[in-house]
DNA sequence: AAAAGACCCAACCGCGGCCGT
DNA sequence: AACGGCCGCGGTTGGGTCTTT
């Protein structure tokens, strides 16, 4: 069946919208709503086709659109969702409040895709490039498998919702019945056998395995760097996936995707190697995602030997809107910290604040964990938090033998875990 | 300083699904 | 069931801006 054009092409304007046209469109929609897009242009006095008006409104003029730089969290979400969903921009956009599918698509094509590409990750399959080639040689149909995986994940989400509902209806607690996740897995295992840990990650998610491999290969050497810079150089080649791989909690509550045990956090382990490794994951996350060459800096310094129980987070308006760009440490790198349970250190974090006032992840982390005290917010953008080190130590499960630099990394690590939990919960609700 | 190339992103195009008739 | 209108979606384009030579 042929398809008629959406509107008469003759006499209608195309191309960039003028401010006057925008105003006409906004004024009309605010007064009447958009109703039928086809009929709208004539009523609004615009020489545009309805489709052009719809696009202009939904991609640009809508009041609930957030414009400007994508945050770290948004970047993470896009990459994670793209690995799961592929180029389903509207689906991805539904998990990024106030962002349009068009904007996400553009950002992917112009930034994230290239960044993955430079790292040797195939942005289509999210697999390391050499592995992608090998995989193709198997004759596998990647697109088909990704589609299958995507459909399977959606089915998982649906099933867990249903099982949650069932649980509620039956009024049964988790102790008296299998958890919803367990139920989901039982059901799904009949559809797709549970993936063997580490050995057979879903094809479209094999990037996780790649990063796990990257992490594992260097994990044993994490304490052998001669300087922080050396550590950083190595850390730059890794990604947020390391963070995901580092904690079982980050596993999708519904997915059969499994993360390797070798890099899981062991909160009961006071061994310093384990502690350092875990904390470095937080730094890896920050360092990788934030490009190494930028104008703005997120600086961590530390003060040592104090018994103060207070610290300070200072926000600095340093580089305009281009914040969240770099994460590094300086000063005091060689200093060792001796602590006992009663010795509290404090750290000063200098960080940037973006234009719309969002404070960076670390600050949100502290606030979320109760370390950020709005009442103590001073006039010059200084905010304080209390009881940092001891509580952070407890927060991440380490009771002894910690280093304050690593503690701050742990804060970031912790909050990212929480954010990922929220993310997956959001996927399900 | 100028030209060429690269980059970016708003806007367009056309397909396909949904729904009413 | 067939048709037609509407809208959402993903791919692509074109022109403005920035960077490099």
């Amino acid at each position: 069946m042929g398809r008629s054009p959406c509107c008469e092409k003759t006499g209608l304007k195309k191309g960039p919208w003028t401010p006057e046209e925008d105003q006409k469109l906004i004024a009309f929609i605010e007064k009447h709503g958009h109703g039928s897009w086809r009929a709208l242009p004539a009523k609004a006095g615009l020489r545009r086709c309805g489709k052009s008006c719809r696009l202009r409104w939904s991609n640009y003029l809508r009041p609930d659109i957030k414009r400007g730089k994508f945050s770290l969290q948004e970047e993470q979400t896009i990459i994670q969702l793209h690995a799961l969903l592929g180029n389903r921009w509207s689906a991805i956009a539904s998990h990024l409040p106030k962002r349009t599918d068009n904007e996400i698509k553009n950002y992917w094509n112009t930034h994230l895709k290239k960044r993955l590409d430079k790292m040797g990750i195939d942005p289509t399959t999210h697999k390391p490039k050499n592995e992608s080639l090998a995989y193709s040689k198997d004759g596998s149909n990647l697109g088909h498998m990704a589609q299958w995986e995507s459909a399977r994940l959606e089915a998982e989400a649906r099933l867990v919702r249903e099982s949650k509902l069932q649980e509620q209806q039956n009024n049964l607690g988790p102790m008296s019945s299998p958890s919803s996740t367990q139920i989901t897995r039982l059901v799904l295992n009949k559809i797709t056998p549970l993936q063997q840990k580490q050995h057979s990650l879903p094809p479209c998610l094999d990037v996780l395995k790649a990063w796990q491999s990257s992490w594992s290969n260097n994990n044993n050497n994490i304490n052998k760097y001669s300087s922080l810079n050396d550590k950083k150089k190595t850390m730059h080649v890794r990604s947020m996936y390391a963070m995901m791989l580092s904690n079982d909690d980050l596993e999708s509550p519904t997915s059969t995707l499994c993360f390797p045990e070798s890099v899981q956090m062991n909160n009961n382990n006071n061994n310093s190697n384990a502690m350092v490794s875990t904390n470095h994951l937080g730094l890896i996350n920050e360092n990788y995602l934030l490009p190494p060459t930028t104008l703005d800096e997120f600086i961590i310094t530390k003060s040592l030997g104090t018994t103060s129980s207070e610290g300070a987070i200072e926000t600095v308006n340093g580089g305009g809107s281009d914040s969240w760009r770099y994460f590094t440490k300086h000063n005091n790198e060689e200093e060792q910290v001796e602590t006992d349970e009663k010795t509290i250190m404090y750290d000063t974090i200098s960080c940037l604040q973006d234009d719309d006032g969002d404070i960076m992840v670390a600050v949100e982390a502290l606030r979320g964990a109760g370390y950020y005290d709005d009442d103590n917010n001073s006039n010059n953008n200084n905010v304080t938090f209390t009881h940092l080190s001891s509580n952070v130590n407890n927060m991440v499960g380490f009771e002894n033998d910690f280093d304050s630099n690593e503690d701050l990394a742990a804060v970031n690590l912790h909050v990212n875990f929480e954010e990922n939990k929220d993310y997956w919960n959001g996927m399900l609700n």
Side-chain angles (χ1 to χ4, degrees), chain A residues 112-136:
Chain A
L112 298 180
K113 195 162 89 173
K114 289 173 186 173
R115 204 184 299 173
L116 287 182
D117 200 47
K118 277 182 184 173
M119 294 169 57
I121 301 289
D122 185 327
T124 306
T125 63
H126 289 250
K127 291 163 63 73
K129 279 177 183 172
N130 52 355
E131 224 176 298
S132 286
L133 287 172
Y135 194 71
S136 300

Side-chain angles (χ1 to χ4, degrees), chain A residues 213-270:
Chain A
S213 166
S214 164
W215 165 254
S216 298
N217 289 343
N218 293 284
N219 199 23
N220 294 334
N221 297 324
I222 199 75
N223 282 328
K224 296 179 182 174
Y225 298 103
S226 59
S227 71
L228 183 62
N229 282 339
D230 287 347
K231 286 191 220 175
K232 282 169 55 184
K233 282 174 192 168
T234 304
M235 289 168 188
H236 270 295
V237 304
R238 303 190 192 126
S239 82
M240 71 197 178
Y241 289 112
M243 170 197 74
M244 296 165 64
L245 291 165
S246 71
N247 190 319
D248 199 42
D249 288 348
L250 295 183
E251 183 179 334
S252 159
T254 61
S255 175
T256 52
L257 170 65
C258 297
F259 297 106
E261 290 171 346
S262 60
V263 291
Q264 282 174 8
M265 206 171 182
N266 182 354
N267 284 350
N268 297 322
N269 190 346
N270 288 330

Side-chain angles (χ1 to χ4, degrees), chain A residues 215-379:
Chain A
W215 165 254
S216 298
N217 289 343
N218 293 284
N219 199 23
N220 294 334
N221 297 324
I222 199 75
N223 282 328
K224 296 179 182 174
Y225 298 103
S226 59
S227 71
L228 183 62
N229 282 339
D230 287 347
K231 286 191 220 175
K232 282 169 55 184
K233 282 174 192 168
T234 304
M235 289 168 188
H236 270 295
V237 304
R238 303 190 192 126
S239 82
M240 71 197 178
Y241 289 112
M243 170 197 74
M244 296 165 64
L245 291 165
S246 71
N247 190 319
D248 199 42
D249 288 348
L250 295 183
E251 183 179 334
S252 159
T254 61
S255 175
T256 52
L257 170 65
C258 297
F259 297 106
E261 290 171 346
S262 60
V263 291
Q264 282 174 8
M265 206 171 182
N266 182 354
N267 284 350
N268 297 322
N269 190 346
N270 288 330
N271 174 286
S272 61
N273 284 351
M275 179 190 79
V276 170
S277 299
T278 304
N279 286 332
H280 283 168
L281 287 175
L283 289 174
I284 290 164
N285 178 43
E286 291 288 353
N287 278 326
Y288 161 65
L289 283 167
L290 306 178
T293 55
T294 63
L295 298 175
D296 303 328
E297 271 191 307
F298 167 37
I299 306 162
I300 291 183
T301 59
K302 67 177 181 181
S303 301
L304 302 173
T306 175
T307 56
S308 166
S309 62
E310 291 189 348
I313 296 175
E314 182 184 3
T315 55
V316 180
N317 296 318
S321 61
D322 191 24
S323 60
W324 293 84
R325 282 307 197 180
Y326 198 72
F327 180 99
T328 187
K329 296 178 182 178
H330 70 103
N331 300 334
N332 303 321
E333 286 177 14
E334 306 305 322
E335 292 185 63
Q336 296 299 312
V337 183
E338 292 191 6
T339 67
D340 58 45
E341 288 182 358
K342 293 182 179 177
T343 301
I344 309 296
M345 294 168 298
Y346 72 89
D347 298 78
T348 300
I349 304 174
S350 300
C351 62
L352 290 165
Q353 198 171 7
D354 63 20
D355 278 344
D356 55 8
D358 290 339
I359 299 178
M360 60 177 304
V361 170
V363 180
E364 291 299 335
L366 291 163
R367 181 189 301 179
Y371 303 110
Y372 175 73
D373 184 0
D374 276 316
D375 293 336
N376 292 333
N377 199 350
S378 65
N379 293 332

